[in-house]
Amino acid sequence: MIDRHLVTLTVNGREHELLLESRKTLADTLREDLGLTGTHLGCEHGICGACTVLLDGEPVRACLVFGVQADGAEVRTVESLAEEGGELNDLQQSFSRNHGLQCGFCTPGFLMLAEAYLDTDPVGDAEEVREVVSANLCRCTGYQGIVDAVVEVAAARKEQRQA
Amino acid sequence: MTASTAKPQRWVGNRLPRREDPRMLRGAGRFVDDIADPHAYHATFVRSPIAAGRIASIDASEALAMPGVHAVLTAADLGYPQLTAALERAEFVATQMPLLAYDRVRYASEPVAIVVAESRYLAEDAAEAVLCEFDETQAVLSIRDVTDGGRALHDEAPDGVLVDLQMFSDDLLGEALDRAPVVLEETISSGRVMAAPMEARACHAQPDARDDQLVLHVSTQVPHQVRSGVAQALGLPERRVRVIAPDVGGGFGLKCVVGREEVVVAAVAEQLGHSVRWSEDRQENLTAAFHGREQEYLVRAGFDSDGTLIGVDADIRCNIGAYSVYPFSCGVEPLMAATELPGVYKVGRYAARARGVATNKPPTAPYRGVSRPQIVLVMERLMDKAAKQLDIDRVEIRRRNTIHADEFPYTGPNGITYEPGSYVESLDRLVDEIGKAGWWERRAATADGVLRGIGIANFSERTAYGTPTMGMRKMQMTPGFEVSHVRMDPTGEVTVTSGTCGHGQGHETTFAQIVADRLGISPDRVKLRQGDTDLVSFGWGTFGSRSLVIGGGSAAVAARRLADKIRKVAGELLEADPADIDLVDGHAEVRGAPDAHVSIEQIAATVHFRAHELREHDEQLLEARGAADPPGMFSNAAHAALVEVDPGTGDARVVDYIVVEDCGVVINPTIVDGQVRGGVAQGIASALYEELVYSPEGQPLAGTFMDYLVPTASEIPPIAVHHLETPCDQTETGAKGMGEGGTIGAPATVVSALNDALRAYGADIDHVPVRPADLLTLFKEHRLHTPREAS
């Protein structure tokens, strides 16, 4: 009754071969098969965005993607942002500096959402950032710290690009 | 940028970055569902599809035949476990909450069986294959259904009322109100909402043969209370249950009570002798976890012609859902409302009746603010209405009725004594800030057709309810105190334990600041351990704006005692009087002779490894215990909102927000700002967006985040926070609690702003949430009743 498929996933630069039940979500695959528990599940119906990861560079809800659909794709999760045991990246540091997290459950999703946005060389003002981060839900912060954190990094990265 | 690069005199008051952040930002937090246990069974619940009725049959044979299914268990299989929460009051009717419903079901989504299988996918398949038959009866849903003589949910309470409290009766009140120049008779109500933390509930239960324990990882604010609940329901000594709250993804009260599902998972793990895990999905969370705030206030209030309040008579009705929640009971909302309704105001005479009525909806828990968002809405509506009738400025009428600085300590007709706060000062400061922010000019702008209004609210928030205050509720189990241990290891590093259980409030940071100041070391060297009933002797957990005051207060006492011990050792090593030793910058030094010093590391190493060098060591180790149990103290705040309403669509938005708050000594301003902003967001949510709507049959209509509208960054405006500081002399740190204030003030502020924005339409909105449809109705009625002007 259970059909399984052999898929190849490249996650955070490492290639994995996995035997996956066709209905298993990408989120459960990352969490259960690869032990990458930084990707959190807040609603499992695609609204809250806590499970946001990058699939070939684009932000997706990992609860709405099946693991088999990611066959051959590159996946990036929150675990890729800082070097293992190394310093936090600029966005992570900015989240801390601006108090962009409290309980921390939604945070990985916001970080991945913001990483994808920042990669587009955006305008990066507060209005645009507010619009972008409205894709995800946070219940603790009231969002201001999240907006401030992303705005700050957008400006810093723009400066770096121009330098 | 590490914390130790700067060396202020005091760490308290510093915007120290949070110690919790790095692991969360790396995705290395450890939430219940992150715990690796590849062999655990997965549980899911079979839930009632109807709101009310009798269970005719449950047939699990098909489910049990499915491969990978280990068990399907009903209440009978588990020995009918139940939890009972009770108040020791004659006006309270104790009712049982069965952990799994067995004869009657009392709300849609109530659990009737648990399925245990190899994976969650299989468990959910099997749950669908469990065939249940019900004899459906008509659901009792609203407060009026009960007060108008509805059917009873519990045989013990035939009138459907589980608690009925007449408080502060005043024989002269009625007459005083009859004679008052202005009498307001109002009905003010609020819709059913829920905390909806981003991490829903979760429990992982694992039998441990070596320690003869059942080890539970639970997403909870109150690990010791969960331990008690499990021990009581399963008939186990508490020692046999170890509850660990790892990282918890938000709680807001939903996790400060014991959920029946958590206890069932524990019972099943115990029965099967195998680890079992359960993670609530969002639909379950919205339809079967704890709700709150569905209340109605029938209020009669009298004002003198100068705007002075003469008296308030309140009839308070709380829809508490199907069961009394353990351990707080369904008395939590009615008691809070009746006791604290007057708030910052001198109400003159006061009486209140408060009822909790049972309906076929999920039980309610103390959601952030507990009745205070509603009582503030009531008092602020009364102020705005009286101001309008008497043509007095809205701020001025509040100022006239507010308890003034020279009146503290003030004892109100509700029997509460208010310690000093900045009630009038915060209001005045708010008015200043509104002016500076240019809101009055923005309010006057009409060229774009958008309707704009400014709302204000002034309120207090009783926090840190210790045993003396909690005891007055007459709960069977009375929370209140906290005990903390502080110990220094041989390397001079410090571990603090507390029975409070932070889950986003930054306790690892603020507790470290408090302890570091007393030991003269960097907070980098202080680690808070919390949320483990085996690690922490006892404690009540995190709720009711208590943790920093009671938990942090007990840590401060313990750290002070440890500092005395360190001084004693240093005195011996430096041949000085311990009273002359200062602990600064990681050293013990002789006051006035800074060259005579010894490092904390050296002291710690000497005590542990070279005790033979010490003449006096009456207690061998560097550890101390502290306790705190304050009476409960009042923070206060004044809020202002600027709203915009689109007259075409009825869309209302809060576009700017100002908070002036006073929580006494601020330990970490960044964290206080964050708590305020997050709280305001939840208050705006319940004012404009969120409601758990039910069909007439009792079916939940908000089962996803598409229907239950948790606001996004587009709906929550920037929130400016200004601090006043009235230090509290009843707490070790001078701090008052402040976790709930944002949520408490925002609904009243937003409603005040909406009524102001719609002043030309004669708006008199007395309920939350206010939906676009409500405003379109208002516009329509206004058009119907207003003669067209000749153009």
Side-chain angles (χ1 to χ4, degrees):
Chain A
M1 185 182 96
I2 296 170
D3 60 324
R4 292 197 173 84
H5 305 264
L6 189 66
V7 301
T8 307
L9 289 183
T10 304
V11 181
N12 302 335
R14 280 177 65 181
E15 196 176 288
H16 302 269
E17 274 199 346
L18 300 167
L19 193 60
L20 294 180
E21 199 181 331
S22 52
R23 65 174 172 174
K24 189 163 203 173
T25 64
L26 177 59
D28 285 347
T29 304
L30 293 168
R31 292 177 51 80
E32 293 172 8
D33 297 66
L34 301 179
L36 296 171
T37 54
T39 299
H40 298 149
L41 288 159
C43 74
E44 295 173 276
H45 51 251
I47 310 296
C48 81
C51 65
T52 302
V53 298
L54 304 189
L55 188 67
D56 288 332
E58 293 294 323
V60 296
R61 314 292 210 207
C63 72
L64 294 187
V65 177
F66 292 117
V68 294
Q69 289 177 287
D71 190 12
E74 296 251 359
V75 179
R76 271 190 81 194
T77 70
V78 67
E79 285 89 349
S80 72
L81 295 181
E83 295 272 323
E84 233 170 277
E87 263 197 23
L88 299 177
N89 85 352
D90 55 349
L91 181 66
Q92 291 168 312
Q93 289 183 27
S94 186
F95 261 66
S96 183
R97 202 163 47 241
N98 289 287
H99 199 22
L101 67 156
Q102 288 182 25
C103 80
F105 193 79
C106 70
T107 310
F110 273 101
L111 289 172
M112 298 318 289
L113 177 72
E115 276 294 343
Y117 164 71
L118 292 166
D119 272 350
T120 64
D121 190 14
V123 175
D125 60 15
E127 193 182 352
E128 189 180 87
V129 168
R130 239 174 221 283
E131 181 81 31
V132 168
V133 302
S134 291
N136 286 13
L137 297 179
C138 167
R139 197 56 160 164
C140 293
T141 62
Y143 300 105
Q144 193 162 325
I146 295 172
V147 172
D148 293 347
V150 178
V151 168
E152 209 174 284
V153 175
R157 287 197 189 174
K158 198 175 277 291
E159 205 166 287
Q160 280 169 16
R161 282 196 190 94
Q162 285 161 0
Chain B
M1 193 186 68
T2 63
S4 48
T5 50
K7 285 179 183 165
Q9 287 302 98
R10 257 163 54 99
W11 291 100
V12 164
N14 234 267
R15 289 189 181 270
L16 190 66
R18 295 201 327 160
R19 311 285 301 279
E20 293 85 347
D21 288 353
R23 70 172 184 272
M24 296 299 177
L25 290 161
R26 288 175 196 276
R30 187 170 73 237
F31 297 89
V32 170
D33 212 27
D34 300 341
I35 289 160
D37 181 1
H39 304 296
Y41 296 162
H42 293 254
T44 196
F45 288 88
V46 179
R47 295 181 179 278
S48 171
I50 59 166
R54 294 205 170 265
I55 301 172
S57 64
I58 300 174
D59 176 3
S61 52
E62 194 186 320
L64 282 166
M66 293 168 76
V69 175
H70 296 293
V72 179
L73 301 166
T74 62
D77 300 319
L78 297 175
Y80 302 99
Q82 57 89 24
L83 284 172
T84 303
L87 297 181
E88 289 163 345
R89 288 173 177 272
E91 316 95 316
F92 180 87
V93 183
T95 50
Q96 289 191 351
M97 178 167 74
L99 295 187
L100 292 170
Y102 55 87
D103 56 348
R104 296 172 71 168
V105 288
R106 294 182 173 89
Y107 58 91
S109 284
E110 178 164 13
V112 297
I114 181 170
V115 177
V116 182
E118 208 61 33
S119 77
R120 187 167 155 207
Y121 291 76
L122 292 172
E124 291 189 7
D125 287 346
E128 282 186 18
V130 176
L131 303 174
C132 301
E133 288 181 359
F134 298 89
D135 299 323
E136 189 170 2
T137 53
Q138 199 183 331
V140 177
L141 296 169
S142 70
I143 291 168
R144 298 292 171 107
D145 280 352
V146 180
T147 54
D148 292 351
R151 282 159 310 283
L153 268 75
H154 299 273
D155 295 340
E156 304 90 321
D159 62 354
V161 179
L162 297 191
V163 61
D164 186 350
L165 303 151
Q166 181 66 52
M167 301 181 82
F168 321 110
S169 53
D170 181 333
D171 295 340
L172 301 176
L173 174 62
E175 197 188 323
L177 293 182
D178 291 341
R179 284 203 317 260
V182 174
V183 181
L184 300 172
E185 289 199 44
E186 309 293 340
T187 302
I188 298 169
S189 63
S190 64
R192 177 168 279 246
V193 292
M194 67 136 30
M198 293 315 300
E199 182 204 25
R201 296 180 298 165
C203 177
H204 173 271
Q206 189 164 33
D208 181 330
R210 179 175 178 269
D211 290 331
D212 184 29
Q213 279 188 323
L214 186 58
V215 180
L216 308 177
H217 283 82
V218 184
S219 184
T220 182
Q221 302 167 226
V222 290
H224 285 90
Q225 294 191 47
V226 173
R227 185 179 74 173
S228 296
V230 169
Q232 288 171 22
L234 306 189
L236 301 172
E238 294 225 6
R239 158 197 81 69
R240 281 217 53 224
V241 183
R242 177 183 184 187
V243 177
I244 300 167
D247 285 321
V248 171
F252 317 110
L254 186 139
K255 298 173 184 169
C256 83
V257 292
V258 182
R260 54 208 300 195
E261 291 90 343
E262 296 147 16
V263 189
V264 172
V265 169
V268 172
E270 175 82 355
Q271 186 156 328
L272 300 180
H274 197 280
S275 54
V276 178
R277 70 192 316 160
W278 168 69
S279 291
E280 184 178 56
D281 72 20
R282 187 54 64 180
Q283 187 191 0
E284 288 179 289
N285 180 251
L286 290 166
T287 63
F290 303 100
H291 297 171
R293 307 234 204 285
E294 187 173 358
Q295 300 185 355
E296 194 172 86
Y297 291 71
L298 278 56
V299 193
R300 196 156 174 254
F303 286 83
D304 220 330
S305 48
D306 66 353
T308 306
L309 248 176
I310 291 169
V312 175
D313 192 355
D315 181 356
I316 299 161
R317 295 137 177 218
C318 305
N319 183 334
I320 61 93
Y323 296 102
S324 222
V325 69
Y326 177 94
F328 287 88
S329 90
C330 70
V332 64
E333 283 194 0
L335 274 166
M336 177 74 87
T339 312
E340 300 188 10
L341 177 66
V344 294
Y345 298 112
K346 296 172 283 186
V347 295
R349 299 185 178 279
Y350 177 62
R353 179 185 184 190
R355 278 175 278 184
V357 305
T359 62
N360 293 112
K361 292 179 179 177
T364 53
Y367 176 26
R368 194 178 196 175
V370 186
S371 292
R372 286 163 294 177
Q374 289 72 46
I375 61 183
V376 173
L377 177 65
V378 168
M379 291 307 296
E380 298 303 300
R381 287 303 296 137
L382 293 177
M383 289 297 153
D384 277 354
K385 285 164 189 277
K388 194 171 166 188
Q389 282 206 21
L390 289 162
D391 199 21
I392 300 175
D393 176 72
R394 282 187 289 163
V395 175
E396 184 51 33
I397 195 166
R398 285 171 168 80
R399 199 180 282 125
R400 278 180 204 172
N401 286 296
T402 298
I403 306 162
H404 283 243
D406 58 1
E407 293 171 305
F408 292 115
Y410 172 86
T411 302
N414 52 349
I416 291 177
T417 299
Y418 299 77
E419 88 281 1
S422 51
Y423 300 178
V424 177
E425 297 79 351
S426 55
L427 186 61
D428 289 342
R429 173 75 181 272
L430 185 76
V431 173
D432 270 4
E433 297 293 341
I434 291 172
K436 279 197 263 178
W439 282 19
W440 294 111
E441 293 78 7
R442 288 168 74 183
R443 177 179 179 268
T446 53
D448 55 3
V450 174
L451 307 168
R452 294 186 174 80
I454 295 172
I456 54 170
N458 195 20
F459 64 95
S460 64
E461 169 194 6
R462 195 190 224 175
T463 65
Y465 295 78
T467 308
T469 317
M470 279 291 190
M472 287 157 71
R473 289 190 183 175
K474 300 189 177 14
M475 292 162 64
Q476 264 180 354
M477 292 164 65
T478 298
F481 61 86
E482 286 298 335
V483 174
S484 179
H485 288 82
V486 178
R487 60 176 192 267
M488 184 174 277
D489 73 15
T491 56
E493 294 275 314
V494 173
T495 301
V496 184
T497 64
S498 174
T500 54
C501 189
H503 46 282
Q505 301 89 342
H507 292 174
E508 292 170 42
T509 311
T510 47
F511 279 55
Q513 288 176 273
I514 289 169
V515 169
D517 271 352
R518 282 155 183 82
L519 299 180
I521 58 175
S522 160
D524 285 355
R525 311 199 62 185
V526 182
K527 173 68 184 166
L528 175 69
R529 301 287 306 275
Q530 54 183 346
D532 182 342
T533 56
D534 269 17
L535 186 72
V536 180
S537 328
F538 194 73
W540 289 100
T542 287
F543 56 90
S545 305
R546 68 191 302 276
S547 298
L548 204 278
V549 176
I550 311 183
S554 64
V557 172
R560 178 160 52 75
R561 291 182 179 151
L562 177 58
D564 287 342
K565 294 185 180 186
I566 293 170
R567 279 192 202 94
K568 200 168 159 193
V569 177
E572 190 176 331
L573 294 176
L574 296 170
E575 296 178 353
D577 185 342
D580 294 333
I581 302 283
D582 286 333
L583 302 179
V584 248
D585 276 352
H587 289 88
E589 60 185 40
V590 180
R591 196 170 309 125
D595 286 346
H597 61 78
V598 55
S599 71
I600 290 290
E601 290 87 343
Q602 202 178 331
I603 293 170
T606 303
V607 169
H608 289 88
F609 299 148
R610 306 194 60 77
H612 57 279
E613 289 177 358
L614 293 171
R615 282 188 311 277
E616 292 181 47
H617 38 81
D618 41 10
E619 284 182 66
Q620 300 291 358
L621 302 177
L622 291 174
E623 63 183 20
R625 173 186 181 279
D629 197 3
M633 57 283 308
F634 288 86
S635 292
N636 65 274
H639 286 201
L642 179 65
V643 303
E644 294 184 354
V645 179
D646 181 328
T649 63
D651 182 42
R653 270 169 199 276
V654 182
V655 296
D656 217 343
Y657 207 96
I658 300 171
V659 173
V660 178
E661 72 85 41
D662 185 345
C663 63
V665 170
V666 175
I667 308 293
N668 185 325
T670 299
I671 287 174
V672 170
D673 292 351
Q675 288 289 308
V676 170
R677 291 190 175 118
V680 168
Q682 284 180 355
I684 291 174
S686 60
L688 293 176
Y689 302 106
E690 296 175 9
E691 188 173 12
L692 293 157
V693 180
Y694 280 77
S695 78
E697 297 77 28
Q699 289 297 324
L701 301 181
T704 72
F705 276 151
M706 285 294 272
D707 318 295
Y708 191 72
L709 301 177
V710 170
T712 72
S714 291
E715 286 80 45
I716 303 301
I719 298 158
V721 185
H722 305 279
H723 302 281
L724 299 176
E725 213 171 281
T726 309
C728 180
D729 62 10
Q730 296 170 40
T731 63
E732 182 75 14
T733 57
K736 309 177 187 185
M738 51 73 54
E740 299 163 280
T743 314
I744 292 169
T749 308
V750 172
V751 170
S752 172
L754 284 173
N755 280 309
D756 185 44
L758 303 171
R759 56 199 176 275
Y761 295 84
D764 193 20
I765 299 165
D766 282 332
H767 67 271
V768 288
V770 185
R771 291 286 182 68
D774 301 326
L775 300 185
L776 291 175
T777 305
L778 180 81
F779 295 141
K780 192 173 160 192
E781 279 175 5
H782 185 260
R783 273 199 305 276
L784 288 174
H785 295 112
T786 311
R788 274 173 192 270
E789 287 173 28
S791 54

